[in-house]
Amino acid sequence: MAIDQAVQGKALRRLSIIEGQLRGLRGMIEERQYCVDILTQISAIHEALRGVGKVVVRNHLETCVTKGLQGEERERHYDELMDLIYTLSK
């Protein structure tokens, strides 16, 4: 199952904002700005990406996982979900 259209729009909007943040970060580095300011911007970008991940994970849980756990391939979906949780917790 593909990502929901509304979720896609929300994720794409957030990614556009992140693209702007990345361009700003590049400019900060090119201008040799203060390291703490650069690191603060990197942290903000990281959190923004995590926000996109949360939107996509919620969509996955509401659609794919819900359907998968009700079907015949329940064990495969449990395994996939466990792998996802492990990956995202790193």
Side-chain angles (χ1 to χ4, degrees):
M1 180 175 280
I3 193 168
D4 179 79
Q5 192 171 10
V7 173
Q8 177 189 28
K10 187 183 289 189
L12 289 174
R13 278 190 299 282
R14 287 177 178 228
L15 288 172
S16 292
I17 293 168
I18 293 167
E19 286 174 342
Q21 288 177 301
L22 285 170
R23 285 190 297 276
L25 176 62
R26 181 183 184 98
M28 292 174 74
I29 291 173
E30 288 173 347
E31 295 167 9
R32 300 178 64 199
Q33 290 191 12
Y34 187 54
C35 294
V36 172
D37 294 339
I38 292 170
L39 292 168
T40 300
Q41 184 64 17
I42 290 171
S43 178
I45 293 167
H46 178 76
E47 286 305 309
L49 282 170
R50 288 177 57 86
V52 173
K54 284 176 64 175
V55 168
V56 174
V57 166
R58 182 178 184 94
N59 178 80
H60 183 63
L61 290 171
E62 290 175 345
T63 57
C64 303
V65 173
T66 299
K67 281 188 177 183
L69 294 178
Q70 295 169 348
E72 295 177 10
E73 296 184 38
R74 187 175 329 170
E75 285 301 314
R76 183 179 69 80
H77 288 278
Y78 277 124
D79 291 342
E80 179 185 69
L81 185 56
M82 290 304 299
D83 289 343
L84 179 62
I85 290 169
Y86 178 76
T87 298
L88 294 176
S89 67
K90 290 181 185 179

Coordinates of all heavy atoms in Angstrom, one line a residue:
M1 N 0.8 -1.2 0.0 CA 0.0 0.0 0.0 C 0.9 1.2 0.0 O 1.9 1.3 0.7 CB -0.9 0.0 1.2 CG -1.8 1.2 1.3 SD -3.0 1.0 2.7 CE -4.2 0.0 2.0
A2 N 0.5 2.2 -0.8 CA 1.3 3.5 -0.9 C 0.9 4.5 0.2 O -0.1 4.3 0.8 CB 1.1 4.1 -2.3
I3 N 1.7 5.5 0.3 CA 1.5 6.5 1.3 C 0.2 7.3 0.9 O -0.1 7.5 -0.3 CB 2.7 7.5 1.4 CG1 2.6 8.4 2.6 CG2 2.9 8.3 0.1 CD1 3.9 9.1 2.9
D4 N -0.6 7.6 1.9 CA -1.8 8.3 1.7 C -1.5 9.7 1.1 O -0.5 10.3 1.4 CB -2.5 8.5 3.1 CG -3.8 9.3 3.0 OD1 -4.8 8.7 2.6 OD2 -3.8 10.5 3.3
Q5 N -2.4 10.2 0.2 CA -2.2 11.4 -0.5 C -2.1 12.6 0.4 O -1.2 13.5 0.2 CB -3.3 11.7 -1.5 CG -3.0 12.8 -2.5 CD -4.1 12.8 -3.6 OE1 -5.1 12.2 -3.6 NE2 -3.8 13.7 -4.6
A6 N -2.9 12.7 1.5 CA -2.8 13.8 2.4 C -1.5 13.8 3.2 O -0.9 14.8 3.4 CB -4.0 13.7 3.4
V7 N -1.1 12.6 3.6 CA 0.2 12.4 4.2 C 1.3 12.8 3.3 O 2.3 13.4 3.7 CB 0.4 11.0 4.8 CG1 1.7 10.7 5.3 CG2 -0.7 10.6 5.8
Q8 N 1.2 12.4 2.1 CA 2.2 12.8 1.1 C 2.4 14.3 1.0 O 3.5 14.8 1.0 CB 1.8 12.2 -0.3 CG 2.8 12.6 -1.4 CD 2.3 12.3 -2.8 OE1 1.1 12.2 -3.0 NE2 3.2 12.0 -3.7
G9 N 1.3 15.0 0.9 CA 1.3 16.5 0.9 C 2.0 17.1 2.1 O 2.8 18.0 2.0
K10 N 1.6 16.5 3.3 CA 2.2 17.0 4.5 C 3.7 16.8 4.6 O 4.5 17.7 4.9 CB 1.5 16.3 5.7 CG 1.9 16.9 7.1 CD 1.3 16.1 8.2 CE -0.2 16.4 8.3 NZ -0.8 15.8 9.5
A11 N 4.1 15.6 4.2 CA 5.5 15.2 4.2 C 6.3 16.1 3.2 O 7.4 16.6 3.5 CB 5.7 13.8 3.9
L12 N 5.7 16.3 2.0 CA 6.4 17.1 1.0 C 6.5 18.6 1.4 O 7.6 19.2 1.1 CB 5.7 17.0 -0.4 CG 5.8 15.7 -1.1 CD1 4.9 15.7 -2.3 CD2 7.2 15.4 -1.4
R13 N 5.5 19.1 2.1 CA 5.6 20.5 2.6 C 6.8 20.6 3.6 O 7.6 21.5 3.6 CB 4.3 20.9 3.2 CG 3.3 21.4 2.3 CD 2.1 22.1 2.9 NE 1.4 21.2 3.8 CZ 0.5 20.3 3.4 NH1 0.3 20.1 2.1 NH2 -0.2 19.5 4.3
R14 N 6.8 19.6 4.5 CA 7.9 19.6 5.5 C 9.2 19.5 4.9 O 10.2 20.1 5.3 CB 7.7 18.4 6.5 CG 6.5 18.7 7.5 CD 6.3 17.5 8.4 NE 5.3 17.7 9.3 CZ 5.4 17.5 10.6 NH1 6.5 17.0 11.1 NH2 4.4 17.7 11.4
L15 N 9.3 18.6 3.8 CA 10.6 18.4 3.2 C 11.0 19.7 2.4 O 12.2 20.0 2.4 CB 10.5 17.3 2.2 CG 10.5 15.9 2.9 CD1 10.2 14.8 1.8 CD2 11.8 15.6 3.6
S16 N 10.1 20.5 1.9 CA 10.4 21.7 1.3 C 11.0 22.7 2.3 O 12.0 23.4 2.0 CB 9.2 22.4 0.6 OG 8.8 21.6 -0.5
I17 N 10.5 22.7 3.5 CA 11.0 23.6 4.6 C 12.4 23.1 4.9 O 13.3 23.9 5.1 CB 10.1 23.5 5.8 CG1 8.8 24.2 5.5 CG2 10.8 24.2 7.0 CD1 7.7 24.0 6.5
I18 N 12.6 21.8 5.0 CA 13.9 21.3 5.3 C 15.0 21.6 4.2 O 16.1 21.9 4.5 CB 13.8 19.7 5.5 CG1 13.0 19.4 6.8 CG2 15.2 19.1 5.6 CD1 12.6 18.0 7.0
E19 N 14.5 21.6 3.0 CA 15.4 22.0 1.9 C 15.9 23.4 2.1 O 17.1 23.7 1.9 CB 14.7 21.9 0.5 CG 14.6 20.4 0.1 CD 13.8 20.3 -1.2 OE1 13.0 21.3 -1.6 OE2 13.9 19.3 -1.9
G20 N 15.0 24.3 2.5 CA 15.4 25.7 2.8 C 16.4 25.7 4.0 O 17.3 26.5 4.0
Q21 N 16.1 24.9 5.0 CA 17.0 24.9 6.1 C 18.4 24.4 5.7 O 19.4 24.9 6.2 CB 16.5 24.0 7.2 CG 15.3 24.5 8.0 CD 14.8 23.5 9.0 OE1 14.4 22.4 8.6 NE2 14.7 23.9 10.2
L22 N 18.5 23.4 4.8 CA 19.7 22.9 4.3 C 20.5 24.0 3.5 O 21.7 24.1 3.7 CB 19.5 21.6 3.5 CG 19.2 20.4 4.3 CD1 18.8 19.3 3.3 CD2 20.4 19.9 5.1
R23 N 19.8 24.7 2.7 CA 20.4 25.8 2.0 C 21.0 26.8 2.9 O 22.1 27.4 2.8 CB 19.5 26.4 1.0 CG 19.2 25.6 -0.3 CD 18.4 26.3 -1.3 NE 17.1 26.7 -0.9 CZ 16.0 25.9 -0.9 NH1 16.1 24.7 -1.4 NH2 14.9 26.4 -0.5
G24 N 20.2 27.1 4.0 CA 20.7 28.1 5.0 C 21.9 27.6 5.7 O 22.9 28.3 6.0
L25 N 21.9 26.3 6.0 CA 23.1 25.6 6.7 C 24.3 25.7 5.8 O 25.4 26.1 6.2 CB 22.8 24.2 7.0 CG 23.9 23.4 7.6 CD1 24.4 24.0 9.0 CD2 23.5 21.9 7.8
R26 N 24.1 25.4 4.5 CA 25.2 25.5 3.6 C 25.8 26.9 3.6 O 27.0 27.1 3.6 CB 24.8 25.1 2.2 CG 25.9 25.2 1.2 CD 25.4 24.8 -0.2 NE 26.5 24.8 -1.2 CZ 27.1 23.7 -1.5 NH1 26.7 22.6 -1.1 NH2 28.1 23.8 -2.4
G27 N 24.9 27.9 3.5 CA 25.4 29.3 3.6 C 26.1 29.6 4.8 O 27.1 30.4 4.8
M28 N 25.7 29.1 6.0 CA 26.3 29.4 7.2 C 27.8 28.8 7.2 O 28.7 29.4 7.7 CB 25.6 28.7 8.4 CG 24.2 29.4 8.7 SD 23.3 28.4 9.9 CE 24.2 28.9 11.4
I29 N 27.9 27.6 6.6 CA 29.2 27.0 6.6 C 30.1 27.8 5.6 O 31.3 28.0 5.8 CB 29.1 25.5 6.2 CG1 28.5 24.8 7.4 CG2 30.5 24.9 5.8 CD1 28.1 23.3 7.1
E30 N 29.5 28.2 4.4 CA 30.3 28.9 3.4 C 30.8 30.3 4.0 O 31.9 30.7 3.7 CB 29.5 29.2 2.2 CG 29.3 27.9 1.4 CD 28.3 28.1 0.2 OE1 27.6 29.1 0.2 OE2 28.2 27.2 -0.6
E31 N 29.9 30.8 4.9 CA 30.3 32.1 5.5 C 31.1 32.0 6.8 O 31.5 32.9 7.5 CB 29.0 32.9 5.9 CG 28.2 33.3 4.7 CD 26.8 33.8 5.0 OE1 26.5 33.9 6.2 OE2 26.0 33.9 4.1
R32 N 31.4 30.7 7.1 CA 32.3 30.4 8.3 C 31.7 31.0 9.5 O 32.4 31.5 10.4 CB 33.7 30.8 8.0 CG 34.3 30.2 6.8 CD 35.7 30.6 6.5 NE 36.6 30.2 7.6 CZ 37.8 30.8 7.8 NH1 38.2 31.7 7.0 NH2 38.5 30.4 8.8
Q33 N 30.4 30.7 9.8 CA 29.8 31.3 11.0 C 30.2 30.4 12.2 O 30.8 29.4 12.1 CB 28.3 31.3 10.8 CG 27.8 32.3 9.8 CD 26.3 32.5 9.8 OE1 25.6 32.0 10.6 NE2 25.8 33.2 8.8
Y34 N 29.8 30.9 13.3 CA 30.1 30.3 14.6 C 29.7 28.9 14.7 O 28.5 28.6 14.3 CB 29.5 31.2 15.7 CG 29.8 30.8 17.1 CD1 31.2 30.8 17.5 CD2 28.9 30.6 18.1 CE1 31.5 30.5 18.8 CE2 29.2 30.3 19.4 CZ 30.5 30.2 19.7 OH 30.8 29.9 21.0
C35 N 30.6 28.0 15.1 CA 30.3 26.6 15.1 C 29.0 26.2 15.9 O 28.3 25.3 15.5 CB 31.5 25.8 15.7 SG 33.0 25.9 14.7
V36 N 28.8 26.8 17.0 CA 27.6 26.5 17.8 C 26.3 26.8 17.1 O 25.4 26.1 17.1 CB 27.7 27.2 19.2 CG1 26.3 27.1 20.0 CG2 28.8 26.7 20.0
D37 N 26.3 27.9 16.3 CA 25.2 28.3 15.5 C 24.9 27.2 14.4 O 23.8 26.9 14.1 CB 25.3 29.7 14.9 CG 25.4 30.8 15.9 OD1 24.8 30.5 17.0 OD2 25.9 31.9 15.6
I38 N 26.0 26.8 13.8 CA 25.9 25.7 12.8 C 25.4 24.4 13.4 O 24.5 23.8 12.8 CB 27.3 25.5 12.1 CG1 27.7 26.7 11.3 CG2 27.3 24.2 11.2 CD1 29.1 26.7 10.7
L39 N 25.9 24.1 14.5 CA 25.4 22.8 15.1 C 24.0 22.9 15.6 O 23.2 21.9 15.5 CB 26.4 22.5 16.3 CG 27.8 22.1 15.9 CD1 28.7 22.0 17.1 CD2 27.8 20.8 15.2
T40 N 23.6 24.1 16.0 CA 22.2 24.3 16.4 C 21.3 24.1 15.2 O 20.2 23.5 15.3 CB 22.0 25.7 17.0 OG1 22.8 25.8 18.1 CG2 20.5 26.0 17.3
Q41 N 21.7 24.6 14.0 CA 20.9 24.5 12.8 C 20.9 23.0 12.4 O 19.8 22.5 11.9 CB 21.5 25.3 11.7 CG 20.7 25.3 10.4 CD 19.3 25.9 10.5 OE1 19.0 26.6 11.5 NE2 18.5 25.6 9.6
I42 N 22.0 22.3 12.5 CA 22.0 20.9 12.2 C 21.0 20.1 13.1 O 20.3 19.2 12.6 CB 23.4 20.3 12.3 CG1 24.3 20.8 11.2 CG2 23.4 18.8 12.3 CD1 25.8 20.5 11.4
S43 N 21.0 20.4 14.3 CA 20.0 19.8 15.3 C 18.6 20.1 14.9 O 17.8 19.2 14.9 CB 20.3 20.3 16.7 OG 19.4 19.7 17.6
A44 N 18.3 21.3 14.4 CA 17.0 21.7 14.0 C 16.6 20.9 12.8 O 15.4 20.4 12.6 CB 16.9 23.2 13.7
I45 N 17.5 20.7 11.8 CA 17.2 19.9 10.6 C 17.0 18.5 11.0 O 16.1 17.8 10.4 CB 18.4 20.1 9.6 CG1 18.4 21.5 9.1 CG2 18.2 19.1 8.5 CD1 19.7 21.9 8.3
H46 N 17.8 18.0 11.9 CA 17.6 16.6 12.3 C 16.2 16.3 12.9 O 15.5 15.4 12.6 CB 18.7 16.2 13.3 CG 18.6 14.8 13.9 ND1 19.0 13.7 13.2 CD2 18.2 14.4 15.1 CE1 18.8 12.6 13.9 NE2 18.3 13.0 15.0
E47 N 15.8 17.3 13.7 CA 14.5 17.1 14.4 C 13.3 17.3 13.3 O 12.3 16.6 13.4 CB 14.3 18.2 15.5 CG 15.0 17.8 16.7 CD 14.7 16.4 17.2 OE1 13.5 16.1 17.4 OE2 15.6 15.6 17.5
A48 N 13.6 18.1 12.3 CA 12.6 18.3 11.3 C 12.4 17.0 10.5 O 11.3 16.6 10.1 CB 13.0 19.5 10.4
L49 N 13.5 16.4 10.2 CA 13.5 15.1 9.5 C 12.8 14.0 10.3 O 12.0 13.2 9.8 CB 14.9 14.6 9.1 CG 15.5 15.3 7.9 CD1 17.0 14.9 7.8 CD2 14.8 14.9 6.7
R50 N 13.0 14.0 11.6 CA 12.3 13.1 12.5 C 10.8 13.3 12.5 O 10.0 12.4 12.5 CB 12.9 13.2 13.9 CG 14.3 12.6 14.1 CD 14.8 12.8 15.5 NE 14.0 12.2 16.5 CZ 14.0 10.9 16.9 NH1 14.9 10.1 16.3 NH2 13.2 10.5 17.9
G51 N 10.4 14.6 12.3 CA 9.0 14.9 12.2 C 8.4 14.3 11.0 O 7.3 13.8 11.0
V52 N 9.1 14.4 9.8 CA 8.7 13.7 8.6 C 8.5 12.2 8.8 O 7.5 11.6 8.4 CB 9.6 14.0 7.4 CG1 9.2 13.2 6.2 CG2 9.6 15.5 7.1
G53 N 9.5 11.7 9.5 CA 9.5 10.2 9.8 C 8.3 9.9 10.6 O 7.6 8.9 10.4
K54 N 7.9 10.7 11.6 CA 6.7 10.4 12.4 C 5.5 10.4 11.6 O 4.6 9.6 11.8 CB 6.6 11.5 13.6 CG 7.6 11.3 14.7 CD 7.5 12.4 15.7 CE 6.2 12.4 16.4 NZ 6.2 13.4 17.5
V55 N 5.3 11.3 10.7 CA 4.2 11.4 9.8 C 4.0 10.1 9.0 O 3.0 9.5 8.9 CB 4.2 12.7 8.9 CG1 3.2 12.6 7.8 CG2 4.1 13.9 9.7
V56 N 5.2 9.7 8.4 CA 5.2 8.5 7.6 C 4.9 7.2 8.4 O 4.2 6.4 8.0 CB 6.5 8.4 6.8 CG1 6.5 7.1 6.0 CG2 6.6 9.6 5.8
V57 N 5.5 7.2 9.6 CA 5.3 6.0 10.4 C 3.8 5.9 10.8 O 3.3 4.8 10.8 CB 6.2 6.0 11.7 CG1 5.8 5.0 12.7 CG2 7.7 5.8 11.3
R58 N 3.2 7.0 11.2 CA 1.8 7.0 11.6 C 1.0 6.5 10.4 O 0.1 5.6 10.6 CB 1.4 8.4 12.0 CG -0.1 8.3 12.5 CD -0.6 9.7 13.0 NE -1.9 9.6 13.5 CZ -2.2 9.3 14.7 NH1 -1.3 9.2 15.6 NH2 -3.5 9.2 15.1
N59 N 1.3 7.0 9.2 CA 0.5 6.5 8.1 C 0.7 5.0 7.9 O -0.3 4.2 7.6 CB 1.0 7.2 6.8 CG 0.3 6.7 5.6 OD1 -0.8 7.1 5.3 ND2 1.0 5.9 4.8
H60 N 1.9 4.5 8.1 CA 2.2 3.1 7.9 C 1.4 2.3 8.9 O 0.9 1.2 8.6 CB 3.7 2.9 8.0 CG 4.1 1.4 7.8 ND1 3.9 0.8 6.7 CD2 4.7 0.6 8.7 CE1 4.4 -0.5 6.8 NE2 4.9 -0.6 8.0
L61 N 1.4 2.7 10.2 CA 0.7 2.0 11.2 C -0.8 2.0 11.0 O -1.5 1.0 11.2 CB 1.0 2.7 12.6 CG 2.4 2.5 13.2 CD1 2.6 3.3 14.4 CD2 2.7 1.0 13.4
E62 N -1.3 3.1 10.5 CA -2.8 3.2 10.3 C -3.3 2.4 9.1 O -4.4 2.1 9.0 CB -3.2 4.7 10.1 CG -3.1 5.5 11.4 CD -3.4 7.0 11.2 OE1 -3.4 7.4 10.0 OE2 -3.6 7.7 12.2
T63 N -2.4 2.2 8.2 CA -2.8 1.5 6.9 C -2.2 0.1 6.8 O -2.8 -0.9 7.1 CB -2.4 2.4 5.7 OG1 -1.0 2.6 5.7 CG2 -3.2 3.7 5.7
C64 N -0.9 0.1 6.5 CA -0.3 -1.2 6.2 C -0.2 -2.2 7.4 O -0.6 -3.3 7.3 CB 1.2 -1.0 5.7 SG 1.3 0.1 4.2
V65 N 0.2 -1.7 8.5 CA 0.3 -2.5 9.7 C -1.1 -3.0 10.1 O -1.3 -4.2 10.4 CB 1.0 -1.8 10.8 CG1 1.0 -2.6 12.1 CG2 2.5 -1.5 10.4
T66 N -2.0 -2.1 10.2 CA -3.4 -2.5 10.6 C -4.0 -3.6 9.8 O -4.4 -4.6 10.3 CB -4.3 -1.3 10.6 OG1 -3.8 -0.3 11.5 CG2 -5.7 -1.6 11.1
K67 N -3.9 -3.4 8.4 CA -4.4 -4.4 7.5 C -3.5 -5.7 7.6 O -4.1 -6.8 7.6 CB -4.3 -3.9 6.1 CG -5.5 -3.0 5.7 CD -5.5 -2.7 4.3 CE -6.7 -1.9 3.9 NZ -6.7 -1.6 2.5
G68 N -2.2 -5.6 7.7 CA -1.3 -6.7 7.8 C -1.6 -7.6 9.0 O -1.5 -8.8 8.9
L69 N -1.8 -7.0 10.1 CA -2.1 -7.7 11.4 C -3.4 -8.5 11.4 O -3.6 -9.4 12.1 CB -1.9 -6.9 12.6 CG -0.5 -6.3 12.9 CD1 -0.5 -5.4 14.1 CD2 0.5 -7.4 13.0
Q70 N -4.3 -8.0 10.5 CA -5.6 -8.7 10.4 C -5.6 -9.8 9.4 O -6.5 -10.6 9.3 CB -6.7 -7.7 10.1 CG -6.9 -6.6 11.1 CD -7.8 -5.5 10.7 OE1 -8.0 -5.3 9.5 NE2 -8.2 -4.6 11.7
G71 N -4.5 -9.9 8.6 CA -4.5 -10.9 7.5 C -3.7 -12.1 7.9 O -3.4 -12.4 9.1
E72 N -3.5 -12.9 6.9 CA -2.9 -14.2 7.1 C -1.3 -14.2 7.4 O -0.8 -15.1 7.9 CB -3.1 -15.1 5.9 CG -4.6 -15.5 5.8 CD -4.9 -16.3 4.5 OE1 -3.9 -16.8 3.9 OE2 -6.1 -16.5 4.2
E73 N -0.7 -13.1 7.0 CA 0.7 -12.9 7.1 C 1.1 -12.1 8.3 O 2.0 -11.3 8.3 CB 1.3 -12.3 5.9 CG 1.2 -13.2 4.6 CD 1.9 -12.5 3.4 OE1 2.9 -12.0 3.6 OE2 1.3 -12.6 2.3
R74 N 0.4 -12.3 9.4 CA 0.5 -11.6 10.6 C 2.0 -11.6 11.2 O 2.5 -10.6 11.6 CB -0.4 -12.1 11.7 CG -0.5 -11.3 13.0 CD -1.5 -11.8 13.9 NE -2.6 -12.4 13.1 CZ -3.6 -13.1 13.7 NH1 -3.6 -13.3 14.9 NH2 -4.6 -13.6 12.9
E75 N 2.6 -12.8 11.2 CA 3.9 -12.9 11.7 C 4.9 -12.1 10.9 O 5.8 -11.4 11.5 CB 4.4 -14.4 11.7 CG 3.7 -15.2 12.8 CD 4.1 -14.7 14.2 OE1 5.2 -14.3 14.5 OE2 3.1 -14.6 15.0
R76 N 4.8 -12.0 9.6 CA 5.7 -11.2 8.8 C 5.5 -9.8 9.1 O 6.5 -9.0 9.2 CB 5.4 -11.5 7.3 CG 6.3 -10.7 6.4 CD 6.0 -11.0 4.9 NE 4.8 -10.4 4.4 CZ 4.6 -9.1 4.1 NH1 5.6 -8.3 4.2 NH2 3.4 -8.7 3.7
H77 N 4.3 -9.3 9.4 CA 4.1 -7.9 9.7 C 4.6 -7.6 11.1 O 5.1 -6.5 11.3 CB 2.6 -7.6 9.5 CG 2.2 -7.5 8.1 ND1 2.4 -6.4 7.3 CD2 1.6 -8.4 7.3 CE1 2.0 -6.6 6.1 NE2 1.5 -7.9 6.1
Y78 N 4.5 -8.5 12.0 CA 5.1 -8.3 13.4 C 6.6 -8.2 13.2 O 7.2 -7.3 13.8 CB 4.7 -9.5 14.3 CG 3.4 -9.4 15.0 CD1 2.5 -10.4 14.9 CD2 3.1 -8.3 15.8 CE1 1.3 -10.3 15.5 CE2 1.9 -8.2 16.4 CZ 0.9 -9.2 16.3 OH -0.3 -9.1 16.9
D79 N 7.2 -9.0 12.4 CA 8.6 -8.9 12.2 C 9.0 -7.6 11.6 O 10.0 -7.0 12.0 CB 9.1 -10.1 11.4 CG 9.0 -11.4 12.1 OD1 8.9 -11.5 13.3 OD2 9.0 -12.5 11.4
E80 N 8.3 -7.2 10.6 CA 8.6 -5.9 9.9 C 8.5 -4.8 10.9 O 9.3 -3.9 10.9 CB 7.6 -5.7 8.7 CG 7.8 -4.4 8.0 CD 6.8 -4.2 6.9 OE1 5.6 -4.0 7.3 OE2 7.2 -4.2 5.7
L81 N 7.4 -4.8 11.7 CA 7.2 -3.7 12.7 C 8.3 -3.7 13.7 O 8.8 -2.6 14.1 CB 5.9 -3.9 13.4 CG 5.4 -2.8 14.3 CD1 5.4 -1.4 13.6 CD2 4.0 -3.1 14.9
M82 N 8.7 -4.9 14.2 CA 9.8 -4.9 15.2 C 11.1 -4.4 14.5 O 11.9 -3.6 15.2 CB 10.0 -6.4 15.7 CG 8.9 -6.9 16.5 SD 8.6 -5.8 18.0 CE 10.2 -5.9 18.8
D83 N 11.4 -4.7 13.3 CA 12.6 -4.2 12.6 C 12.5 -2.7 12.5 O 13.5 -2.0 12.7 CB 12.7 -4.9 11.2 CG 13.1 -6.3 11.3 OD1 13.6 -6.8 12.3 OD2 13.0 -7.0 10.2
L84 N 11.3 -2.2 12.1 CA 11.1 -0.8 12.0 C 11.4 0.0 13.3 O 12.1 1.0 13.4 CB 9.7 -0.5 11.5 CG 9.4 1.0 11.3 CD1 10.3 1.7 10.3 CD2 7.9 1.2 10.9
I85 N 10.8 -0.6 14.4 CA 11.0 0.0 15.7 C 12.5 0.1 16.1 O 13.0 1.1 16.6 CB 10.2 -0.7 16.8 CG1 8.7 -0.4 16.6 CG2 10.6 -0.3 18.2 CD1 7.8 -1.3 17.4
Y86 N 13.2 -1.0 15.8 CA 14.6 -1.1 16.2 C 15.4 -0.1 15.3 O 16.2 0.7 15.8 CB 15.1 -2.5 15.9 CG 16.6 -2.6 16.2 CD1 17.1 -2.7 17.5 CD2 17.5 -2.6 15.1 CE1 18.4 -2.8 17.7 CE2 18.9 -2.7 15.4 CZ 19.3 -2.8 16.7 OH 20.7 -2.9 16.9
T87 N 15.1 0.0 14.0 CA 15.8 0.9 13.1 C 15.6 2.4 13.6 O 16.5 3.2 13.6 CB 15.3 0.8 11.7 OG1 15.6 -0.6 11.3 CG2 16.0 1.7 10.8
L88 N 14.3 2.7 13.9 CA 14.0 4.1 14.3 C 14.5 4.5 15.7 O 14.6 5.7 16.0 CB 12.5 4.3 14.2 CG 11.9 4.2 12.8 CD1 10.4 4.4 12.8 CD2 12.5 5.3 11.9
S89 N 14.8 3.5 16.5 CA 15.3 3.8 17.9 C 16.8 4.0 17.9 O 17.3 4.4 19.0 CB 14.9 2.7 18.8 OG 15.5 1.5 18.5
K90 N 17.5 3.9 16.8 CA 18.9 4.1 16.9 C 19.3 5.5 17.0 O 18.6 6.4 16.5 CB 19.5 3.5 15.6 CG 19.5 2.0 15.5 CD 20.2 1.6 14.2 CE 20.1 0.1 14.0 NZ 20.7 -0.3 12.8

